[in-house]
Amino acid sequence: MTLDFTAIDFETANSSPASACSVGLVKVRDGKVVDRAGWLIRPPLGHDHFQEWNVRIHGIQAHEVADAAGWVDQLADLVEFAEDDHLVAHNAGFDMGVIRAACAATLVACPEYSYLCSLQVARRTYSLESYRLPVAAMAAGFEGFHHHDALADAEACAAIVIHAARRHEAATIADLSALTGARLGRIGVPVAA
């Protein structure tokens, strides 16, 4: 199996997609987790208010990110970890939206990546009453993780994609996309003039 990708998950301080306050990254090579990383992020000015609802979900408070590096300083670390992998996220539209919005809010170029949504993959792989991350992860045999911890969520996402790839006998992310009909999306694609 040459199933290589980086699973990614963000938590946000508020309803603004630019308000990333935490990221989790899990690198997969040949269908096996080989590296993990996660860190806090100080959201950009104007997007740095912590809403009570978000804090209740992930438990991260403003004082915890006060000394963390901001998006501009951490984007290079994210790109270095992910290299030129396909990104995979559960409800990928949200996580890719965070990357786009945080880049726009800080006036930096959005990195170019292709991505696959593990939520779409799960819907085309399992027969479940819900496809929320904890339920889909359980179907993939990944249980007992701390949901809404960015690193734990990225690990759960990776487990879903690895399990689904085995189930569909997909050797690559592109194969898994084709076999499940889950679209491979793109972010950071330059706009044609």
Side-chain angles (χ1 to χ4, degrees):
M1 182 182 281
T2 56
L3 189 69
D4 297 345
F5 64 90
T6 294
I8 188 167
D9 183 80
F10 289 101
E11 298 299 327
T12 56
N14 55 60
S15 60
S16 166
S19 70
C21 62
S22 176
V23 64
L25 298 155
V26 174
K27 185 175 291 294
V28 173
R29 291 289 175 267
D30 295 325
K32 292 186 171 83
V33 173
V34 297
D35 200 4
R36 298 167 178 81
W39 56 81
L40 295 174
I41 302 168
R42 186 173 21 84
L45 287 175
H47 302 273
D48 54 350
H49 169 72
F50 277 71
Q51 284 182 318
E52 182 182 341
W53 172 254
N54 293 62
V55 172
R56 271 194 269 161
I57 290 172
H58 53 57
I60 302 167
Q61 298 188 33
H63 72 272
E64 295 177 85
V65 302
D67 294 328
W71 180 261
V72 172
D73 298 320
Q74 293 194 15
L75 182 58
D77 294 333
L78 187 156
V79 170
E80 181 180 344
F81 187 95
E83 301 175 298
D84 60 352
D85 281 354
H86 292 286
L87 298 181
V88 173
H90 205 73
N91 190 16
F94 170 81
D95 297 282
M96 299 309 114
V98 169
I99 295 172
R100 280 189 204 100
C103 287
T106 56
L107 305 175
V108 297
C110 182
E112 292 184 38
Y113 282 103
S114 63
Y115 66 88
L116 184 68
C117 180
S118 63
L119 174 61
Q120 290 180 11
V121 170
R123 284 182 173 147
R124 292 163 174 90
T125 302
Y126 311 116
S127 179
L128 304 170
E129 286 187 23
S130 166
Y131 293 92
R132 291 182 59 247
L133 184 59
V135 178
M138 189 179 294
F142 189 85
E143 300 180 47
F145 68 101
H146 184 69
H147 187 33
H148 293 300
D149 172 273
L151 182 54
D153 285 359
E155 289 176 319
C157 174
I160 292 165
V161 171
I162 291 166
H163 184 262
R166 288 188 181 129
R167 196 165 179 173
H168 291 284
E169 298 181 358
T172 67
I173 289 294
D175 290 346
L176 185 58
S177 170
L179 288 165
T180 62
R183 179 180 78 81
L184 265 179
R186 296 277 309 159
I187 64 166
V189 179
V191 178

